Amino acid sequence: MAEILVLAEHRRGALRDVTYELLAKGREITDSGGLELSTIVLGSGCSGFAGELSNHADRVLVVDHPDLAEFNAEAYSKVLVGVIAERKPRLTLIGHTSCGVDLAPALAIKSGLPLATDCIDLSLDGGGLAVTRQVYGGKMNVEGVLREAEGHIATVRPATFEPGEPRGEPGEVVSLEYPAELELVTRFTGFVEPPPGEVDIADAEIIVGVGRGIKDEKNIPVVRELAEALKGELGCSRPIVDKGWLPKDRQVGSSGKTVKPKLYIASGISGSFQHVMGMKGSDLIVVVNKDSKAPLFGFADYGVVGDLFKVLPALTEKIREFKGSG
Ligand SMILES: Cc1cc2nc3c(=O)[nH]c(=O)nc-3n(C[C@H](O)[C@H](O)[C@H](O)COP(=O)(O)OP(=O)(O)OC[C@H]3O[C@@H](n4cnc5c(N)ncnc54)[C@H](O)[C@@H]3O)c2cc1C
């Protein structure tokens, strides 16, 4: 039976959330289209992954080799091109992560298959693939259909779909050979850890996040004062770090920290998926943004459409009053 193939992503011994999100979307598509759901894990000593993944798919394909211990786009594409040529999956799903972005275009070229990137929704459309993508910083969605082809490849934006629950009946685990003739010119040499900072915002219970809406470094105290009044920590979006206004250890997001505070107040942050990936697990999310169409409002428990330079000082004052220190 034809299948949908999900590439399992892992890093430093753990499967990444996006894998379960892709499996949930893959299951939704297979259920409506009479297809099977397979997942493929490329790794070294990865029987643990296979067992875990078998609770989410009809079939787990495993390629186990020391060259695959950590992500290597060259090795992955060389292995996957063979698997796709042989199995001809109707659709191959890959996370739109730094790994997926590195891998998918080369894989599509080598496989001769159409590719849609950064999809936020997708469904089979006859022999084609209907996809939804975002444009203008997430303010508009674009729907399109990829032409009919033997198969399609799509990268899917992380944090878009809810991860699926394990199923009662585990799928089969199938070992595939690592191609003996592979000669790699790239190799994984190691992870580079950022230098330890003063605070680890990953442990903070309250975070006030600041984004490009703050406009100037000299305005950062407006946000810092609210964080201090709440006895919380200051977090930020990446442009704030790129400009050198706050240190890297304050950055929230896919290339920064993943935080899960009880309260996350985002001020002047638009809500790129890279930022959302780092804070969507917060218990309570409050968004302050002057643009009512800012994508981050879609994740907010409470939203304030307004100027942060008016809203934040008023909030700081109220909190100080409430705590009896103002
Ligand atoms: C590989 C890669 C990795 C990345 N990793 C990360 C990451 O880890 N974390 C991250 O955050 N980003 C990351 N980014 C960048 C990301 O794509 C966005 O560019 C970034 O998150 C945007 O930051 P922002 O929301 O602060 O700025 P903008 O998108 O410019 O948004 C500023 C917001 O402020 C609002 N605003 C303006 N003035 C006011 C005001 N007076 N009052 C209230 N609101 C106001 C605006 O309406 C707007 O919504 C990454 C990008 C790439 C390509």
Side-chain angles (χ1 to χ4, degrees):
M1 191 188 282
E3 66 186 357
I4 292 200
L5 183 64
V6 168
L7 175 64
E9 188 171 320
H10 57 91
R11 186 184 289 174
R12 310 186 89 170
L15 286 164
R16 310 205 76 203
D17 290 353
V18 68
T19 305
Y20 298 103
E21 295 162 14
L22 297 183
L23 285 165
K25 186 63 194 175
R27 177 62 72 195
E28 189 188 307
I29 300 173
T30 56
D31 282 353
S32 61
L35 301 162
E36 286 187 333
L37 181 63
S38 297
T39 182
I40 182 162
V41 58
L42 282 63
S44 177
C46 49
S47 57
F49 291 155
E52 165 63 19
L53 290 165
S54 67
N55 295 318
H56 294 261
D58 302 316
R59 186 174 304 101
V60 185
L61 309 172
V62 183
V63 187
D64 201 311
H65 190 273
D67 282 355
L68 301 170
E70 296 293 347
F71 176 77
N72 175 330
E74 186 197 3
Y76 268 49
S77 68
K78 285 182 172 166
V79 172
L80 286 171
V81 88
V83 173
I84 289 175
E86 194 182 319
R87 301 187 67 88
K88 303 194 182 347
R90 175 68 184 78
L91 172 65
T92 301
L93 295 177
I94 298 173
H96 192 79
T97 58
S98 47
C99 299
V101 168
D102 198 359
L103 167 70
L107 181 61
I109 293 286
K110 286 181 188 157
S111 304
L113 296 178
L115 166 71
T117 58
D118 197 13
C119 303
I120 59 163
D121 203 6
L122 61 182
S123 60
L124 301 181
D125 182 286
L129 179 71
V131 297
T132 307
R133 305 174 76 239
Q134 289 193 330
V135 291
Y136 300 121
K139 289 192 183 146
M140 285 177 76
N141 289 353
V142 175
E143 292 174 357
V145 180
L146 268 67
R147 66 177 161 76
E148 194 169 324
E150 200 173 39
H152 295 85
I153 301 176
T155 65
V156 177
R157 182 178 289 194
T160 302
F161 302 110
E162 286 293 322
E165 293 297 320
R167 298 182 329 143
E169 218 176 291
E172 62 170 335
V173 176
V174 179
S175 290
L176 303 182
E177 286 295 309
Y178 182 72
E181 73 283 5
L182 277 200
E183 275 181 27
L184 300 178
V185 293
T186 52
R187 67 192 167 86
F188 173 84
T189 56
F191 285 98
V192 180
E193 296 282 2
E198 282 169 33
V199 267
D200 187 358
I201 56 168
D203 295 332
E205 295 208 330
I206 297 177
I207 296 175
V208 184
V210 51
R212 196 146 44 184
I214 197 71
K215 297 198 173 55
D216 200 301
E217 184 176 13
K218 70 175 173 21
N219 298 326
I220 298 271
V222 174
V223 190
R224 193 188 300 280
E225 280 173 24
L226 177 59
E228 282 171 4
L230 287 164
K231 300 206 181 334
E233 295 293 345
L234 206 52
C236 67
S237 65
R238 179 158 145 177
I240 302 298
V241 174
D242 291 345
K243 286 173 191 288
W245 296 351
L246 284 175
K248 175 80 181 165
D249 60 3
R250 299 282 171 169
Q251 183 186 320
V252 174
S254 60
S255 56
K257 292 270 172 72
T258 299
V259 298
K260 290 188 176 170
K262 289 187 176 147
L263 171 65
Y264 186 85
I265 303 180
S267 55
I269 299 176
S270 60
S272 69
F273 78 91
Q274 291 98 342
H275 190 81
V276 170
M277 274 174 73
M279 45 65 75
K280 69 178 190 332
S282 307
D283 288 346
L284 189 79
I285 297 173
V286 179
V287 172
V288 182
N289 197 305
K290 66 179 186 182
D291 177 4
S292 64
K293 293 197 169 56
L296 200 53
F297 280 123
F299 296 86
D301 297 293
Y302 295 95
V304 183
V305 179
D307 185 345
L308 74 89
F309 295 105
K310 292 187 181 139
V311 177
L312 263 56
L315 205 53
T316 307
E317 200 183 309
K318 278 283 167 211
I319 286 159
R320 283 180 181 153
E321 262 176 47
F322 183 72
K323 292 197 169 181
S325 59

